[in-house]
Amino acid sequence: VKFLLECDPIVKLQKGEGKSLLHWACRLGLDCTDSNIHAGLESIEEIYDADPEAIEDSIIASSIHRYHQEVQAFVIIQRYYSSQAKNHFLMMTPDGRGQLPLHTALQ
């Protein structure tokens, strides 16, 4: 997956049956078992890193209950971070130690 994304950055924008590459990768997680889910998650993470906006796809949100438990956790966490990143007030408000969320993320 990483090789394909590096060779052709447009690959991340391809759709199959109107669904994003990230959606199809999450769906492939349906066939993963606990012993091979980590390989599937690596692919999902590579695709997510290439196209983080795809996590907002409503098809992914509506299908989440069908994904492997670890894929569900990844999607939920990334959607949470995405919603936080869109909140300008939250991103510009220092915490109790005077640090912005970016500082915390970089630690």
Side-chain angles (χ1 to χ4, degrees):
V1 170
K2 185 176 183 174
F3 176 75
L4 286 174
L5 292 169
E6 288 175 355
C7 287
D8 186 0
I10 301 301
V11 167
K12 69 182 182 184
L13 302 176
Q14 299 296 316
K15 299 218 180 239
E17 298 178 21
K19 297 173 179 85
S20 70
L21 183 59
L22 183 60
H23 166 77
W24 288 111
C26 290
R27 290 270 322 248
L28 289 176
L30 293 171
D31 296 328
C32 290
T33 63
D34 290 341
S35 63
N36 64 7
I37 188 61
H38 296 290
L41 276 173
E42 285 180 23
S43 295
I44 291 168
E45 289 171 7
E46 288 290 338
I47 294 166
Y48 171 77
D49 288 345
D51 186 19
E53 292 85 17
I55 202 76
E56 296 298 323
D57 187 342
S58 62
I59 296 172
I60 291 174
S62 65
S63 303
I64 194 167
H65 65 280
R66 296 176 10 214
Y67 302 154
H68 186 281
Q69 186 176 5
E70 290 192 44
V71 174
Q72 288 180 20
F74 175 80
V75 170
I76 290 168
I77 289 167
Q78 297 311 321
R79 287 180 64 89
Y80 174 74
Y81 290 149
S82 176
S83 70
Q84 281 188 317
K86 290 178 185 176
N87 183 331
H88 185 72
F89 178 76
L90 181 62
M91 291 293 107
M92 301 306 294
T93 304
D95 64 11
R97 297 176 304 162
Q99 296 200 343
L100 298 173
L102 178 61
H103 298 127
T104 305
L106 293 174
Q107 292 177 350

